[in-house]
Amino acid sequence: MRLHALEWGDARAPAVMCMHGVSSHAARFRRLAERLTPRFRVVSVDLRGHGESEWEPPWDLDTHVADLLETADALGIEVADWMGHSFGGRLALELAARAPERVGRLVLLDPAVWVPPPRALEIAEEMRPDESFASPDEAVELRVARAPLAPRALIEEEVPEQLELSADGRWRYRGSRVAVIAAYGEMAKRPPLERVTAPALIVRGEETEVLPPALVATTRELYAGELDVVDVPGGHIVMWDALEETGDAVERFLNES
């Protein structure tokens, strides 16, 4: 399936393909893309089950990777650098293991390299109840409360465009909660780190729970290629909590490596 995509930059420039995490969407990469467009063509997709892409299953790793490659093909992109946040980072690793000839470098933004099965079950159960809002402002306020380190302006910019008005008059995020739940089952599978040879950068939030130090150490030990890790202030959504530091690290890696 060809995924819905946003693009920035010159279509003739080297490509960077971006993948968001669960419960997110393509526009999450807008600010980083604006920093990279002087040199790169940046493409950010809505994953299957999210945003303006199709929502139908299956939502397994194989299908997500096939969707990404089909979309790159449709856009005329043979080889790209791949940048993923959270679940998108796990997809970048999967793609690099399965289709190494399509990958230049990997940028992994606080990636969900692996989620222990008990934790994956816990989070999936938390995602089961419906979440809706009386207005976009209500959704913004809740997101601000959940992401206290992020600049309010970034949340106010992004959250409203991720919402849609449902038939019952309530606002909901544009995505399938079932697809999100399925993603946690996929993240509980062991990652193919020993088969990934592409040079990679991990940008890790210092206060993250997704990528604890022990998992960083294991990733370093098993990763088959060159791997650099940069810690930035804040938590999991490094593009919100530490946009400047994250952008600096990504630019440095892509421009120098």
Side-chain angles (χ1 to χ4, degrees), residues 50-229:
H50 295 75
E52 296 184 42
S53 291
E54 294 295 332
W55 292 10
E56 292 182 354
W59 303 295
D60 53 52
L61 293 170
D62 288 343
T63 302
H64 282 300
V65 170
D67 287 345
L68 291 165
L69 292 175
E70 184 174 338
T71 302
D73 288 341
L75 295 171
I77 297 172
E78 295 183 6
V79 178
D81 296 326
W82 296 80
M83 177 159 56
H85 173 243
S86 193
F87 180 55
R90 173 61 186 268
L91 290 178
L93 291 169
E94 295 288 338
L95 190 148
R98 300 162 192 235
E101 73 282 358
R102 305 295 298 270
V103 178
R105 297 162 294 187
L106 299 179
V107 176
L108 311 174
L109 304 180
D110 215 65
V113 174
W114 177 67
V115 180
R119 179 58 177 155
L121 174 60
E122 181 181 7
I123 299 173
E125 290 287 355
E126 291 171 356
M127 293 297 301
R128 288 176 62 188
D130 178 48
E131 182 177 52
S132 65
F133 312 96
S135 67
D137 287 344
E138 181 182 340
V140 167
E141 292 304 325
L142 181 58
R143 200 66 165 118
V144 167
R146 290 175 175 174
L149 300 177
R152 184 184 182 95
L154 291 181
I155 296 175
E156 290 178 339
E157 172 186 87
E158 183 179 320
V159 166
E161 67 181 13
Q162 196 179 353
L163 298 168
E164 62 181 359
L165 186 62
S166 302
D168 62 359
R170 301 283 293 179
W171 292 85
R172 290 176 174 83
Y173 284 109
R174 191 181 291 111
S176 166
R177 294 181 76 78
V178 183
V180 172
I181 291 169
Y184 281 100
E186 296 299 291
M187 286 184 275
K189 299 175 181 178
R190 292 285 181 177
L193 296 173
E194 69 285 349
R195 303 204 324 265
V196 183
T197 58
L201 168 70
I202 289 178
V203 179
R204 174 186 175 274
E206 291 175 340
E207 300 179 31
T208 186
E209 297 180 357
V210 172
L211 194 62
L215 184 53
V216 174
T218 299
T219 302
R220 283 187 182 277
E221 179 182 352
L222 297 178
Y223 195 82
E226 297 179 6
L227 176 63
D228 190 18
V229 180

